Amino acid sequence: MGRVVVGVTVGLATVACAVAAVAVGGRMRSRGKWKRVVRVLREVEEGCESSVERLRQVVDAMAVEMHAGLASEGGSKLKMLLTYVHNLPDGTEKGTYYALHLGGTNFRVLRVHLHDRQSSVLEHEVERQVIPQHLMTSTSKDLFDFIASSLMEFIEKEGDGSELSLDRRRELGFTFSFPVKQTSVSSGILIKWTKGFSIVDMVGVDVPACLQEALIRKGLDMRVAALVNDTVGTLALGHYHDSDTVASVIIGTGTNACYLERVDAIIKCQGHLTSSGYMVVNMEWGNFWSSHLPRTSYDIDLDSESPNPNDQGFEKMISGMYLGDIVRRVILRMSLESDMFGPVSSKLNMPFTLRTPMMAAMHEDDSPDLREVARILRDILEIPDVPLKLRKVVVKVCDVVTRRAARLAAAGIVGILKKIGRDGSGGITSGRRSDVKMKRTVVAIEGGLYSSYTLFREYLHEALNEILGEDIAKHVILKVTEDGSGVGAALLAASHSFL
């Protein structure tokens, strides 16, 4: 009997040891998986590092590239396009002006009533119209006859109480969101179509002239007074409300910037004179590049798999089109390195499944159990039952990617200020000086990434303070504007109506 007891005891001990060994092995494997997740996170943090020293290097690189782009065509990654806009609205304009925004598969018509400088709220009416599919591949005459007819109908709705009559000359600002080489404030040659348009007879043709001819055919006495880029429209709107506005930045799905430059600093347009001595320059800063930008393997993969590799490098690191997908790529890498997220879902493998608004919602989830993070991972990326500690890792990834984007955007803004001597350094070649008297400097900003994403906005402001120093930064004001592509275009029609 004793031998039986001893045998059972030894057997139970052996089983217990085996169970303990399995448990320990399981914990060690789990710990190993967790370490792999943490290692990926640390690599992302190091790759996205944006110290103030590095940001100042980006500032200097931006200013240098701006100089090069102003010196000659093709001299820089920054196109530094001339807009021929030299007379920004200042709040003294009065009257009724119009805007047409052709930005994609629809267009908008606006009528803006200007009263006087005291009117902080602009009175305007908007009408949207879908462009029939067949007109997107038809002829320039068909497209612009349709748009001109819509303009005519819009004007006819002004009503009996309007001081305007159909035989009165009207001024129009035309925002055309396609690649154009501008040749004057009211003319520009279409370089190529995008966004599903393919009207062959328009490529290489003056776009506003096509619209003007259609307006004449319809018997509508309306002049295209300004061809407008949406970033320039944002600057016009900002300047109308605040004459200290010297630049504008769009940070939304895409990103761009423009600013007011001295004409004598634009070497590639020597001999061109303006009454103000200034001209708005459209930077097309999405294409900016510098070796100082903190680039990761995820950025490299995203770029190589994009329709435009080696193009728009800055935009791919800071704009709303791409931030969500960078985060998706990091989560995918963590899933491949460790099965803590479960089997890799097909949605996680799909580019741009995670849109930036969803990423922002995860980043700003302040619930104790991060339930919004869990919901988005489950519903959007098809990753169910993610434990809380992994949800916290996902939030951290969102934070790292967003913080880098916001800080680089801030460095870009300071680069513009440095170029025009508004960063407190006294100019591009000078060191930081304490005896420079700073002027009040306003930058107009438009786009949901800045206006709707609180943490992005806070990180951008934090970086501005770090780069400039608080004494200088307090003179730089970022002001949100809305609808530069519409209202801003009408304002430019007003400021150029008698030129």
Side-chain angles (χ1 to χ4, degrees), residues 1 4 39 67 90 111 126 136 144 148 153 233 244 247-248 264 278 299 349 358 388-389 416 427-428:
M1 181 70 180
V4 171
R39 187 180 69 240
H67 269 271
D90 59 9
R111 177 171 44 246
V126 186
M136 295 171 65
F144 283 109
E153 291 172 13
D244 288 333
S248 70
D264 60 12
Y278 289 86
D299 301 301
N349 263 310
M358 293 292 100
L388 182 59
K389 72 174 184 178
I416 297 173
I428 188 171

Side-chain angles (χ1 to χ4, degrees), residues 363-364 399 402-403 405-407 410 449-466 478:
H363 189 194
E364 298 187 323
D399 185 72
T402 298
R403 184 172 184 269
R407 290 172 70 81
L449 200 60
Y450 180 85
S451 62
S452 303
Y453 193 172
T454 303
L455 289 173
F456 181 96
R457 186 168 63 251
E458 289 175 354
Y459 279 141
L460 193 155
H461 285 221
E462 176 187 75
L464 272 180
N465 280 319
E466 287 180 29
L478 305 185

Side-chain angles (χ1 to χ4, degrees), residues 124-143:
H124 66 283
E125 301 125 66
V126 186
E127 190 169 286
R128 288 173 173 81
Q129 184 93 19
V130 174
I131 296 174
Q133 188 76 31
H134 72 277
L135 290 181
M136 295 171 65
T137 55
S138 184
T139 65
S140 58
K141 182 178 181 297
D142 289 344
L143 175 66

Side-chain angles (χ1 to χ4, degrees), residues 311-328:
D311 197 25
Q312 298 296 102
F314 194 52
E315 181 170 82
K316 287 170 182 171
M317 297 176 82
I318 74 171
S319 81
M321 178 73 187
Y322 301 99
L323 299 188
D325 200 57
I326 296 171
V327 169
R328 178 197 65 83

Side-chain angles (χ1 to χ4, degrees), residues 98 111 149-160 162 164-166 170 218 220:
Y98 297 80
R111 177 171 44 246
S149 294
S150 298
L151 267 168
M152 174 73 86
E153 291 172 13
F154 181 71
I155 288 168
E156 286 172 346
K157 293 175 186 174
E158 284 174 347
D160 298 334
S162 173
L164 300 174
S165 60
L166 279 174
R170 291 165 171 79
K218 296 296 176 183
L220 186 56

Side-chain angles (χ1 to χ4, degrees), residues 390-462:
L390 277 182
R391 281 178 253 158
K392 290 179 178 177
V393 168
V394 169
V395 172
K396 182 62 178 175
V397 173
C398 295
D399 185 72
V400 169
V401 171
T402 298
R403 184 172 184 269
R404 177 188 69 165
R407 290 172 70 81
L408 290 178
I413 291 170
V414 179
I416 297 173
L417 301 184
K418 186 179 184 71
K419 169 65 184 68
I420 61 177
R422 295 289 188 104
D423 69 329
S425 71
I428 188 171
T429 58
S430 307
R432 189 162 294 277
R433 287 166 39 191
S434 59
D435 61 334
V436 175
K437 182 172 172 57
M438 270 294 292
K439 296 178 181 176
R440 180 175 179 274
T441 300
V442 178
V443 178
I445 298 197
E446 190 166 319
L449 200 60
Y450 180 85
S451 62
S452 303
Y453 193 172
T454 303
L455 289 173
F456 181 96
R457 186 168 63 251
E458 289 175 354
Y459 279 141
L460 193 155
H461 285 221
E462 176 187 75

Side-chain angles (χ1 to χ4, degrees), residues 229-245:
N229 164 279
D230 53 1
T231 317
V232 178
T234 297
L235 176 56
L237 183 54
H239 197 271
Y240 176 83
H241 289 302
D242 192 327
S243 60
D244 288 333
T245 305

